[in-house]
Amino acid sequence: MTKSLILVVEDDMPIRNLICTTLKAHNYRYVTAEKGETAILEASSHNPEIILLDLGLPDFDGVDVIRKIRSWSNVPIIVISARTEDSDKIEALDAGADDYLTKPFSVEELLARLRATQRRLAIGQNGDLHTDSVFVNGKLKVDYAAGCAFLDGEELHLTPSEYKLLCLLSKNAGKVLTHTYITQQIWGRSWENDVASLRVFMATLRKKIEKEPDSPQYIQTHIGVGYRMLRVE
Ligand code: CA
């Protein structure tokens, strides 16, 4: 098996070294960049499998790096941010980032995100997530063609908004979707009221698909940011 190549974009040397040492110890190959400009060059010349991207770079904002890379590539981008403000994460996710890690993060956390992203890539290759007519995740099944969903073989009685929400999350399983993105996809707009409505629909959807809605198995909440459908083994 060829080792996966990771592009590490981080200007802070101790953190860059920690990431690279971790990658090396876990059988990944890596290339590094300390600036946004080099990051874009490295991304286009090395075609990495995953990009780890610090948002605070010396030349330009990490979000602009995401926008530039997204203009030609769908490579998964995991943002690494020292900023605790949710708005930065949201901006990065809306620009096309797939996931985020907040500094300080543990080595285990970093490896878990990489593994989750690789699983998502593998599923995308073995069956296209976006064109398959049936989505299966644990006991949950969504039949896009028939327009219905099942849990443990039982058909779920979902409202049109709940069903749309479930489809959107399942088609993007593994990815964090922001409140703005979700409401725009479902209602074609994103007003403050829509985010409140989204919470309500999420609560009712969870009651229908989660065994324990208070400790959800399928849909993870990212407080102040959005939601993600997790892959269930
Ligand atoms: Ca930095």
Side-chain angles (χ1 to χ4, degrees):
M1 215 177 103
T2 51
K3 295 180 185 178
S4 304
L5 181 70
I6 314 291
L7 169 58
V8 182
V9 187
E10 171 63 80
D11 61 313
D12 188 333
M13 199 170 69
I15 297 175
R16 194 173 64 240
N17 288 347
L18 170 74
I19 296 173
C20 293
T21 312
T22 306
L23 292 177
K24 205 174 167 189
H26 291 84
N27 236 9
Y28 289 99
R29 291 181 299 138
Y30 60 85
V31 279
T32 60
E34 293 164 41
K35 287 182 179 180
E37 204 184 338
T38 8
I40 292 161
L41 279 174
E42 297 289 339
S44 66
S45 59
H46 291 283
N47 200 18
E49 190 174 311
I50 298 170
I51 298 176
L52 289 169
L53 175 71
D54 176 31
L55 283 184
L57 296 169
D59 53 349
F60 48 81
D61 200 289
V63 174
D64 293 325
V65 177
I66 299 170
R67 291 203 182 98
K68 289 224 166 71
I69 293 174
R70 277 289 169 266
S71 67
W72 87 85
S73 168
N74 282 323
V75 55
I77 300 174
I78 302 173
V79 160
I80 298 175
S81 172
R83 310 168 201 181
T84 45
E85 290 94 347
D86 291 332
S87 60
D88 295 311
K89 291 173 195 161
I90 292 168
E91 209 191 340
L93 291 166
D94 281 336
D98 296 76
D99 202 348
Y100 60 83
L101 274 167
T102 306
K103 288 181 201 172
F105 54 86
S106 69
V107 162
E108 287 74 27
E109 231 180 317
L110 167 68
L111 292 167
R113 297 304 163 88
L114 288 172
R115 279 195 303 269
T117 306
Q118 285 182 301
R119 268 203 303 274
R120 199 159 61 78
L121 284 173
I123 291 164
Q125 279 158 6
N126 297 331
D128 194 336
L129 222 54
H130 304 283
T131 55
D132 270 5
S133 61
V134 177
F135 167 86
V136 181
N137 188 15
K139 290 181 173 172
L140 182 69
K141 188 173 124 182
V142 186
D143 187 333
Y144 301 125
C148 47
F150 304 83
L151 187 70
D152 216 358
E154 296 268 333
E155 188 175 351
L156 292 164
H157 299 285
L158 304 175
T159 65
S161 290
E162 288 165 1
Y163 179 72
K164 268 190 179 174
L165 183 56
L166 181 62
C167 288
L168 185 66
L169 288 160
S170 60
K171 284 181 178 169
N172 292 282
K175 235 182 127 159
V176 179
L177 303 181
T178 65
H179 294 136
T180 314
Y181 180 80
I182 297 173
T183 54
Q184 263 165 1
Q185 294 296 310
I186 295 181
W187 297 297
R189 54 173 203 229
S190 186
W191 299 343
E192 214 161 298
N193 284 348
D194 296 325
V195 177
S197 310
L198 174 60
R199 286 207 181 89
V200 174
F201 286 117
M202 187 57 78
T204 57
L205 175 63
R206 274 181 169 153
K207 276 194 189 135
K208 295 176 185 179
I209 68 164
E210 302 280 7
K211 248 192 188 157
E212 293 169 55
D214 292 335
S215 50
Q217 183 188 14
Y218 292 106
I219 303 169
Q220 190 181 49
T221 299
H222 288 249
I223 296 165
V225 177
Y227 300 97
R228 160 172 30 209
M229 177 164 287
L230 297 171
R231 277 279 170 191
V232 177
E233 297 303 322

